Amino acid sequence: MSAKEEVERLVMKTRIVGLAKASHFGPTLIVTTLSYLFAELYWATGSALIIAVGFFSGQFIVGWSNDLIDYADDLSHQRMNKPLVAGLISRKFLQSWLAVMIPVALVINLFGPLGFVGGGLSIFAIVWALGYNFYFKFNIFSPLPYAVAFAILPSCMAYSQDKTPPTWMWLGGALFGMAAHFLNVLKDMDQDHASGIKGLPQRCGKTGSIIAATILIALGVTLLLLSDLTLR
C-alpha cells in the first residue's frame, strides 16, 4: 500500500468514526435494537430487519442534525467528544450525508414493510425528535418529543398490521422515553445552564431530574407488571 493510499484509508476511517459518533451511536443502537425486537412481534425476521434499518436511518438524521445545531455550543464548551469539535468531520461533510440520509429514511419507512400507515408514524416520530433539536429542548415541554417518539416506536408496528397497540405498549414507551430524557441531560446540565438551555430537566436540576426519572421508570415497570398480570 502506497503512502497516498494509506492516508486515504485513514481519512476514510476517521470520517466513518466521525459519522458514527455524530449519530450518538449508543442511543441509536438501542433504539434500533428495540425497533427490531418490537418488529419481531408482528413481522418475519427479514421484514423486521428492514424495519430496524428504517429506524436506524431515522436515528442518523436525528443525531446528525443535533450535532449540527449544537455545534456552536459544543465548540464554546470544548466538547471534544463531539466529532465536529474534534475535527473528525466537517460541517459540510455532515450536511452532505444528512441530505443523503433523509430520502433514504423516507423510502425505507414508507415503502418498506411498515407501509404508509406504520411508516408514516415512524416518520412522524422522527419529526418530533427533530422538533426537540430545534425547539423543545429550550422549554418546559422538552420531555414531550421523547414521550411521543417512544410511544410511536412500538405502536407503529401494530398499526402497520391493522391492529390497535395495547395500552402498555404506547404508554410504557412514553414513560420510559421521558425517563431517558431526564437521565440523558444530567451529564451536560451545568453546561446547559451556562448556555441558557432551559428544558424541563434543567429547570428541575440534577436531583429533581433523578427523582423524576425514577418515578417515570417505576410507573413504566408497574404498568408492564400490571399488563402481564392482566394477560395471564
Side-chain angles (χ1 to χ4, degrees):
M1 182 181 295
S2 66
K4 181 180 179 181
E5 290 173 333
E6 178 66 17
V7 170
E8 290 176 347
R9 186 185 70 82
L10 289 174
V11 169
M12 181 178 295
K13 181 180 178 181
T14 299
R15 286 178 172 176
I16 291 173
V17 171
L19 288 174
K21 286 187 174 183
S23 74
H24 302 200
F25 196 72
T28 291
L29 193 58
I30 292 173
V31 171
T32 302
T33 302
L34 288 173
S35 69
Y36 172 75
L37 294 174
F38 278 110
E40 278 278 2
L41 297 175
Y42 297 96
W43 296 91
T45 298
S47 295
L49 286 171
I50 295 174
I51 291 170
V53 171
F55 274 84
F56 190 62
S57 61
Q59 287 301 299
F60 269 35
I61 293 172
V62 175
W64 290 347
S65 64
N66 178 269
D67 271 27
L68 285 168
I69 294 167
D70 288 350
Y71 173 69
D73 186 59
D74 291 337
L75 188 62
S76 68
H77 292 293
Q78 286 297 295
R79 294 184 177 125
M80 298 306 294
N81 61 319
K82 296 286 188 173
L84 288 175
V85 177
L88 296 179
I89 50 176
S90 66
R91 281 181 290 176
K92 184 177 180 180
F93 181 76
L94 188 55
Q95 288 167 345
S96 65
W97 273 95
L98 181 60
V100 170
M101 194 58 65
I102 290 173
V104 168
L106 288 172
V107 170
I108 296 176
N109 281 282
L110 294 176
F111 297 97
L114 289 178
F116 281 99
V117 176
L121 282 171
S122 179
I123 296 299
F124 188 57
I126 294 173
V127 171
W128 270 96
L130 292 175
Y132 172 80
N133 290 342
F134 282 98
Y135 174 73
F136 287 100
K137 69 185 293 182
F138 301 102
N139 59 58
I140 61 172
F141 300 107
S142 61
L144 185 59
Y146 279 81
V148 174
F150 277 82
I152 288 175
L153 188 154
S155 301
C156 68
M157 316 290 181
Y159 281 120
S160 68
Q161 294 282 35
D162 296 321
K163 297 179 180 179
T164 301
T167 302
W168 66 264
M169 185 177 284
W170 61 266
L171 184 54
L175 290 170
F176 287 121
M178 289 189 289
H181 172 48
F182 278 97
L183 293 174
N184 185 56
V185 170
L186 290 174
K187 64 182 184 299
D188 292 325
M189 188 169 289
D190 293 335
Q191 294 175 339
D192 287 344
H193 281 301
S195 300
I197 297 175
K198 297 180 180 179
L200 187 57
Q202 288 87 353
R203 294 168 190 259
C204 292
K206 289 184 178 180
T207 301
S209 293
I210 292 172
I211 292 172
T214 302
I215 293 172
L216 289 166
I217 291 171
L219 289 173
V221 171
T222 302
L223 175 66
L224 294 180
L225 291 175
L226 291 174
S227 300
D228 183 58
L229 290 174
T230 303
L231 292 173
R232 289 182 181 180

